Amino acid sequence: MQSTILRSTMRAARPVLASSRALGKQPVRAFSSTRVAQSGLNSLHTFTEEEQMLRESVKRFAEDVVAPKVREMDENETMDPEIIKGLFEQGLMGIETSADHGGAESSFTAAVIAIEELAKIDPSVSVMCDVHNTLVNTIFRTYATKEQQDKYLPLLAGSQLGSFCLSEPASGSDAFALQTRAEKKGDHWVLNGSKMWITNSKEAEIFLVFATVDPSKGYKGITCFVVEKDMGIEIAKKEQKLGIRASSTCTLNFDDVKVPLENVIGGEEMIGKGYKIAIEILNEGRIGIAGQMIGLAQGAFDKAVPYTYQRKQFGTAIGEFQGMAHQMANIATEIEAARLLTYNAARLKEEGKPFTKEAAMAKYYASVVAQKAAGSAIEWAGGVGFTRETGIEKFWRDSKIGAIYEGTSNIQLNTIAKFLQKQYS
């Protein structure tokens, strides 16, 4: 396990890096080498030193600790507990969480960078980190009461995995058709129902569960509850999936699960406002999934392309044939375009600007590029790429989920189309 811990590294570096946090303060070289202009505009590849340090730290962790375990975890369809422990030790499970709550207190873009770098090695580990940071932690930071933040954020930053529980057998894209009920009885809420397709559910200790307190109110009855595993959640069927196999995806059953009254996220005033939390948090979460997909695409590309310059046919490296070279150039361009869409959405979110359309574009396009890049990588490597030994085929299997979870591709296109209609009609 690496000895460098992100949390302590960020804290130690913070005084030195204070002046570099404002992206617009860096000098930009003009066309003339004798002129240097101050500009508030920077490329989307401009990062703070903290973000650059994070990328390097996560890259080392992924290559040194995760990579040797990827194939075994995929074959066994189980996440190695040492990987989860390592994510916490590296400070990667509280990236935006305040230092007072044990987190790294870094940026949202930093979280996307971590998700991207992990996905280059294993998208299963990446999505575990993604859901924990962009959904679970963000809900606590944004909507929870101070008491809830003080209790749960240190646990989520230090040792306990979180899970986001919205989908049900009868509510997927139509998320607000959920049927899990919460009834107030004395000093508790009692939850009954089932959740399906829940990420991190096998290993999680803290669950954010969406349930309706009054079905007659439709989506305005939906409320978000903090439920701890030992309150009685049944972890039922674990799905056997095409890809991201090491990431647990389970059905959860709630049979008269008692939850304290104070465990409504945001307190009593947020009863019936769970729909607002779900809509807003999924917009942010989609940028995280886009980060996972661009990392996956780059990971497949990085594995396959070197092989094309080693493998010779007709006396020439196959990567030097024009047809192959053009394919690789095209995929490299599409990966970069998806990356820029993703970084742009992340920066818009950080700046407090509208980002819903941009998040949908990033998530949609990154998932398309991930499938295309991973599929092409298999073909470039030929028969070797089709075998499990190289790990290239795993990227293709993992890529398929990008068009499905946290809003299908059609849902993203609907979102984009609504913005276009509003703009042009």
Side-chain angles (χ1 to χ4, degrees):
M1 190 63 62
Q2 292 173 271
S3 59
T4 302
I5 307 301
L6 173 64
R7 190 179 301 111
S8 60
T9 302
M10 294 296 102
R11 288 175 181 169
R14 200 163 279 122
V16 180
L17 304 175
S19 62
S20 71
R21 288 184 179 232
L23 297 179
K25 300 299 184 183
Q26 301 176 17
V28 178
R29 185 173 296 279
F31 288 109
S32 169
S33 61
T34 61
R35 297 175 58 197
V36 177
Q38 290 287 342
S39 172
L41 302 175
N42 292 282
S43 76
L44 287 170
H45 278 284
T46 302
F47 303 103
T48 66
E49 288 190 52
E50 281 190 19
E51 290 165 349
Q52 291 170 339
M53 290 168 63
L54 172 69
R55 186 186 293 278
E56 293 166 4
S57 175
V58 178
K59 184 176 186 292
R60 287 195 302 271
F61 174 76
E63 292 176 348
D64 296 346
V65 179
V66 178
K69 299 176 181 290
V70 171
R71 186 174 180 185
E72 180 183 1
M73 292 194 300
D74 182 63
E75 296 283 354
N76 295 335
E77 301 191 21
T78 301
M79 184 67 65
D80 189 318
E82 289 301 312
I83 297 295
I84 303 174
K85 181 181 177 183
L87 290 170
F88 280 108
E89 289 178 345
Q90 293 299 310
L92 298 178
M93 301 304 259
I95 295 175
E96 295 179 85
T97 300
S98 70
D100 290 341
H101 289 124
E105 203 170 318
S106 197
S107 66
F108 176 67
T109 298
V112 174
I113 289 170
I115 293 162
E116 177 187 0
E117 289 299 321
L118 289 170
K120 290 177 182 178
I121 303 299
D122 191 354
S124 292
V125 176
S126 175
V127 74
M128 170 178 281
C129 181
D130 174 26
V131 169
H132 185 91
N133 277 285
T134 68
L135 299 185
V136 179
N137 285 346
T138 303
I139 287 178
F140 275 102
R141 289 198 325 274
T142 308
Y143 301 101
T145 63
K146 184 180 185 304
E147 292 75 17
Q148 291 167 345
Q149 291 174 346
D150 291 344
K151 178 178 180 180
Y152 289 105
L153 282 174
L155 296 174
L156 290 164
S159 62
Q160 294 192 12
L161 190 64
S163 183
F164 177 85
C165 311
L166 179 63
S167 296
E168 297 185 2
S171 63
S173 294
D174 184 9
F176 297 151
L178 60 83
Q179 298 175 7
T180 298
R181 287 289 310 275
E183 296 181 77
K184 191 174 182 180
K185 294 185 178 180
D187 60 351
H188 285 81
W189 290 94
V190 179
L191 271 59
N192 283 282
S194 295
K195 295 291 180 180
M196 198 171 187
W197 317 113
I198 305 303
T199 301
N200 292 353
S201 47
K202 180 182 176 183
E203 303 87 1
E205 298 289 339
I206 299 169
F207 298 78
L208 291 174
V209 181
F210 291 81
T212 180
V213 300
D214 187 348
S216 68
K217 293 184 178 180
Y219 69 88
K220 292 187 177 180
I222 297 172
T223 303
C224 182
F225 297 87
V226 187
V227 186
E228 299 173 22
K229 186 175 184 177
D230 59 11
M231 289 179 181
I233 300 176
E234 179 191 357
I235 312 299
K237 178 187 177 184
K238 181 178 181 294
E239 302 294 343
Q240 293 182 304
K241 308 189 298 291
L242 171 71
I244 57 167
R245 292 176 176 175
S247 169
S248 64
T249 305
C250 303
T251 296
L252 305 181
N253 293 328
F254 301 86
D255 296 314
D256 290 332
V257 174
K258 291 184 178 181
V259 179
L261 294 180
E262 62 267 24
N263 277 33
V264 172
I265 280 287
E268 189 173 348
E269 66 183 45
M270 289 298 288
I271 294 174
K273 296 181 180 178
Y275 71 93
K276 181 177 183 292
I277 295 174
I279 289 174
E280 293 182 358
I281 205 66
L282 285 173
N283 286 331
E284 179 173 330
R286 284 163 185 160
I287 304 174
I289 297 301
Q292 181 201 25
M293 289 295 113
I294 60 175
L296 185 159
Q298 191 66 58
F301 191 87
D302 291 346
K303 271 187 176 289
V305 171
Y307 176 82
T308 70
Y309 295 111
Q310 297 164 7
R311 169 74 167 168
K312 289 188 176 182
Q313 292 289 278
F314 309 105
T316 303
I318 61 175
E320 294 179 11
F321 288 110
Q322 189 179 64
M324 181 75 82
H326 285 186
Q327 289 180 43
M328 294 189 296
N330 183 56
I331 292 295
T333 301
E334 293 184 348
I335 293 173
E336 181 66 4
R339 181 179 289 115
L340 295 177
L341 281 171
T342 303
Y343 290 170
N344 180 57
R347 290 302 190 199
L348 287 173
K349 187 268 177 187
E350 284 181 357
E351 294 167 5
K353 297 176 181 177
F355 66 91
T356 301
K357 179 184 74 175
E358 290 75 11
M361 287 178 167
K363 200 264 185 185
Y364 165 71
Y365 189 65
S367 68
V368 170
V369 170
Q371 289 189 46
K372 185 175 179 181
S376 296
I378 293 173
E379 295 177 17
W380 297 339
V384 172
F386 196 69
T387 67
R388 294 183 184 182
E389 184 177 354
T390 62
I392 298 174
E393 56 82 33
K394 178 182 180 298
F395 283 110
W396 182 81
R397 288 189 285 108
D398 291 350
S399 74
K400 298 301 291 184
I401 192 62
I404 300 172
Y405 60 9
E406 293 198 34
T408 65
S409 289
N410 282 341
I411 290 294
Q412 306 315 310
L413 291 172
N414 279 348
T415 298
I416 297 164
K418 287 177 181 177
F419 277 94
L420 294 176
Q421 182 180 11
K422 183 177 180 181
Q423 180 179 355
Y424 289 104
S425 64

